[in-house]
Amino acid sequence: MEKTIDESKQGENLVLENKEGNTRKLFIESYGCAMNFSDSEIVASILSNQGFNTTQNLEDADLVLVNTCSIRDKAEQTVRKRLEKYNKVKKKVNPNMKVGVLGCMAERLKSKFLEEEKIVDLVVGPDAYKDLPNLLAEVEDGRDAINVILSKEETYGDISPVRLNTNGVTAFVSITRGCDNMCTFCVVPFTRGRERSRDPQSIIEEINDLYNKGYKEITLLGQNVDSYLWYGGGLKKDFEKATDFQKATATNFAKLLELCAEAQPKMRIRFSTSNPQDMTLDVVETMAKYENICNYIHLPVQSGSDRILKKMNRQHTRQEYMELIDNIKRILPECTISQDMITGFPTETEEDHQDTLSLMQYVKYAFGYMFAYSERPGTMAERKLEDDVPLEVKKRRLQEVIDLQLEHSLEKTQSFIGKTVEVLIEKEAKKGDQDWSGRNSQNLLCVFPKENYKVGDFVNVKITRVTKTTLIGEPLGLSANN
C-alpha cells in the first residue's frame, strides 16, 4: 500500500452545509492520505443524521474528532499536539466537550489513548464508523467507548458521503478498503485490515450523482486500486473459493475503469494508488481506449535495489518494474508517472542508493513523494530489522533523490512548452487573484489568466513558460469537453 500525503491539506477542518433541525456541533480535522479525508466525509454523513452540524470554532464543539494517520512519526506527533490542544479547551472552556480519535492511530494506540493517557473519550477504527451513534451514546452515559474491530465486509458503499470543503469540481470515490500487501515498512494491513472491494453498481451510482451535481472529475481511491475485484462481496483473498458463476461474472479494475468511463464520458477519471505487482496491462490498455481517463499513473517503487525491495517485501523486482514502465510508455506515450521513494531503509548501502538513482534516470518521473525511512511501531521492519542507517546518511541520500527528481520534473514541464493542453479549472491560483489554477490530463499544475472563464470549465491553454512544478500559459478557449 502506498500513501500519498498532501501536505497542504493536513489538519484541514471540515465544514458542510448546516442541516435544519440539527442542534449539536461537530469539529472534525483530518490528517494523512486521501483515504482519510474521504473517510471524514463518510463520518460527517453519519453524524449529520445524528443531529450534528459542523463548526469551525473548536470552543463551540460538542464533539471533536481527529482522523489520524500512522504512516509517519511526524503525523502521529502532530495529532498528539492537537489532542493536547483539544483537552486544554475542554478543561478551561467547554467541559462538556467529547473528544474522539478516528482512523489508523485509533486502531494502533487504542488502550494508550483511553486507559493510560486518558486523553480521549472515544476511539473508532476505520471499519467502525457506522457504530458511531452507539459509541456516542456510551460516551454520553459517562463511559469510554471503543470499536476498532476490522471488518471483512465493510466498504461503506451504502453511505452517501457529504462532500466537505469541496471546490464542487473534483471528488474522491472510494472503491476498495484494506490491503493484502504486507510491505515491511507499512502499518496499513494492521490498521485497515484485509482487502475488500465495493459493489461496482454503487460506485457508478455515486459517480452519476456527482456528475448531476456538477462535478467534472473523480479520483477512484483505494489503498491498492489495481487489485480491485468484485465477485459479489467478501475478501479478495477468498476469491479462489468463489463459485464458477462468481468467477465468470467478476469485475476487475480494468473493467471497473471501463464502466466508469462509459457512464460519464464528459467526466475526467483518475485513480490512486497503484501497486506495480498488481497493475496489469489491461488497465493501461483501457486508459488508452478512453479519452476521459487521465494520462497519469502514480506508481510507487520505494527503492531501485532488488536487495532492498526484497527486504521491503515488495512483490516485484527492479527488472519487472522497468518492463511495466516500458509497456506503459509504449501503450500510453503521453502518460506521466510519479513515484514514492524511501531512502535509508534498514541495511541500505551506497550501492543500493545508486540503484535507486539509476532507476530514476531510467524512468524520469514527472514528480514524486520522497521520504527518509521512519521506523513505524507494529510493522515487520520494526520487529525484524535494525534501523541501522544513520540519520545524516538518510538525509543526504534523500536530498540526492530530491535533487535528481527536480531535474526530471523540469525536463517534464519543459516538454510542454509550445503545446496546447486541456486544463480543468479548480481554484484561484495561489500567487495573485488574476489567474486560475487547474491540472491537465497528466496531473501537472497549470496557471493561466482568468479572463471570462470560471471554476469547472475545461479550457485549452497554450503553454508559454514553466517552472519545475507548474505549466504557465495563455487560454485559447473552452475545450470540446464542456
Side-chain angles (χ1 to χ4, degrees):
M1 202 297 298
E2 322 305 337
K3 283 202 170 187
T4 301
I5 309 291
D6 183 345
E7 297 294 352
S8 67
K9 292 174 72 72
Q10 299 307 297
E12 199 168 73
N13 167 227
L14 304 177
V15 181
L16 61 139
E17 231 173 89
N18 282 352
K19 188 173 178 181
E20 198 172 333
N22 283 2
T23 56
R24 294 193 284 180
K25 293 180 180 178
L26 166 69
F27 181 93
I28 180 168
E29 282 183 346
S30 303
Y31 292 86
C33 68
M35 184 63 88
N36 270 13
F37 287 82
S38 178
D39 280 358
S40 290
E41 294 178 341
I42 289 167
V43 169
S45 179
I46 291 167
L47 291 177
S48 177
N49 294 327
Q50 298 298 313
F52 284 91
N53 283 331
T54 53
T55 178
Q56 287 184 293
N57 189 350
L58 175 62
E59 287 78 7
D60 291 344
D62 298 293
L63 175 63
V64 176
L65 297 176
V66 57
N67 201 343
T68 62
C69 172
S70 279
I71 203 75
R72 282 161 36 207
D73 183 59
K74 179 185 172 186
E76 288 199 0
Q77 296 309 318
T78 302
V79 167
R80 284 191 168 282
K81 285 176 184 171
R82 292 304 290 161
L83 287 171
E84 288 173 13
K85 167 74 173 174
Y86 304 155
N87 276 280
K88 280 181 186 173
V89 172
K90 184 174 180 176
K91 284 176 183 174
K92 295 180 179 178
V93 181
N94 185 355
N96 294 319
M97 174 194 288
K98 304 299 180 188
V99 176
V101 170
L102 312 176
C104 295
M105 276 179 79
E107 202 289 326
R108 202 174 73 73
L109 296 171
K110 47 193 179 288
S111 58
K112 200 170 184 65
F113 282 153
L114 272 179
E115 295 158 18
E116 294 174 34
E117 299 179 13
K118 299 187 186 302
I119 54 174
V120 299
D121 307 290
L122 179 73
V123 176
V124 190
D127 289 347
Y129 298 143
K130 283 183 186 171
D131 199 29
L132 270 165
N134 299 325
L135 297 170
L136 284 172
E138 290 278 313
V139 168
E140 282 156 10
D141 284 344
R143 295 184 292 274
D144 291 337
I146 182 169
N147 185 344
V148 292
I149 296 168
L150 294 173
S151 168
K152 292 183 179 180
E153 291 87 27
E154 187 61 80
T155 64
Y156 299 108
D158 57 334
I159 302 286
S160 180
V162 175
R163 302 293 164 180
L164 300 161
N165 283 3
T166 177
N167 56 14
V169 175
T170 63
F172 292 120
V173 175
S174 179
I175 66 168
T176 68
R177 295 185 75 83
C179 186
D180 288 349
N181 293 322
M182 302 294 287
C183 299
T184 57
F185 54 80
C186 188
V187 296
V188 166
F190 308 106
T191 59
R192 285 188 174 268
R194 300 304 295 260
E195 228 165 73
R196 61 267 187 211
S197 298
R198 182 177 163 192
D199 181 349
Q201 185 179 341
S202 74
I203 294 169
I204 298 301
E205 286 171 359
E206 185 174 339
I207 290 170
N208 289 340
D209 180 58
L210 286 166
Y211 183 80
N212 292 333
K213 288 175 177 173
Y215 285 80
K216 303 295 178 71
E217 178 184 289
I218 55 109
T219 299
L220 303 176
L221 197 62
Q223 257 75 38
N224 182 11
V225 290
D226 296 290
S227 66
Y228 175 90
L229 184 64
W230 173 262
Y231 59 98
L235 298 176
K236 185 186 177 183
K237 74 179 182 68
D238 293 334
F239 180 64
E240 60 188 33
K241 301 174 190 171
T243 65
D244 290 342
F245 177 76
Q246 284 177 315
K247 288 178 180 177
T249 57
T251 301
N252 65 8
F253 184 56
K255 181 61 180 174
L256 178 68
L257 261 185
E258 187 174 82
L259 291 171
C260 295
E262 290 183 352
Q264 295 298 342
K266 294 275 190 182
M267 202 173 204
R268 272 190 183 174
I269 313 289
R270 299 188 187 274
F271 56 88
S272 186
T273 291
S274 293
N275 247 342
Q277 69 267 28
D278 296 309
M279 186 166 212
T280 49
L281 290 190
D282 57 349
V283 171
V284 186
E285 286 158 356
T286 302
M287 292 174 69
K289 184 178 174 183
Y290 293 96
E291 282 191 20
N292 60 328
I293 302 178
C294 291
N295 279 328
Y296 166 66
I297 299 172
H298 183 56
L299 197 63
V301 65
Q302 309 299 357
S303 173
S305 160
D306 276 333
R307 195 181 71 80
I308 295 297
L309 289 172
K310 192 170 183 181
K311 286 197 174 290
M312 289 177 166
N313 197 35
R314 304 288 286 175
Q315 303 298 307
H316 62 86
T317 64
R318 173 191 174 97
Q319 185 59 39
E320 286 166 344
Y321 184 87
M322 290 164 74
E323 286 170 5
L324 177 57
I325 294 291
D326 291 344
N327 281 317
I328 291 169
K329 290 182 176 181
R330 174 178 57 82
I331 298 167
L332 277 174
E334 300 299 313
C335 187
T336 57
I337 301 165
S338 60
Q339 47 86 350
D340 283 357
M341 212 70 79
I342 295 171
T343 64
F345 191 77
T347 78
E348 185 187 67
T349 64
E350 278 304 314
E351 185 180 353
D352 297 321
H353 174 57
Q354 290 303 318
D355 284 346
T356 294
L357 295 177
S358 69
L359 180 68
M360 291 176 67
Q361 288 283 16
Y362 184 85
V363 179
K364 297 209 168 177
Y365 298 100
F367 54 92
Y369 303 91
M370 299 149 284
F371 308 101
Y373 174 69
S374 166
E375 188 175 77
R376 307 309 302 125
T379 60
M380 292 300 290
E382 186 253 351
R383 291 202 288 264
K384 300 199 169 185
L385 297 171
E386 183 186 349
D387 187 5
D388 59 353
V389 180
L391 181 60
E392 61 271 19
V393 175
K394 289 181 185 177
K395 287 183 174 179
R396 190 256 302 161
R397 290 175 184 168
L398 175 61
Q399 193 58 54
E400 289 176 9
V401 166
I402 290 170
D403 290 344
L404 183 58
Q405 182 55 64
L406 288 174
E407 280 180 36
H408 294 162
S409 295
L410 183 59
E411 279 182 42
K412 177 56 69 178
T413 57
Q414 284 176 335
S415 73
F416 282 89
I417 292 175
K419 292 182 180 178
T420 298
V421 299
E422 182 190 69
V423 178
L424 173 59
I425 300 176
E426 296 179 24
K427 58 187 177 182
E428 204 171 74
K430 281 185 179 178
K431 295 179 180 176
D433 58 3
Q434 301 303 305
D435 293 329
W436 286 125
S437 171
R439 288 173 297 159
N440 67 352
S441 176
Q442 287 82 1
N443 206 33
L444 295 173
L445 189 68
C446 184
V447 172
F448 60 92
K450 280 186 174 178
E451 295 189 1
N452 296 317
Y453 303 105
K454 62 184 185 301
V455 169
D457 282 344
F458 287 99
V459 181
N460 288 325
V461 178
K462 185 170 183 178
I463 305 307
T464 56
R465 57 194 179 93
V466 299
T467 69
K468 291 185 181 77
T469 58
T470 306
L471 309 177
I472 302 161
E474 295 296 328
L476 302 179
L478 294 171
S479 78
N481 206 31
N482 289 281

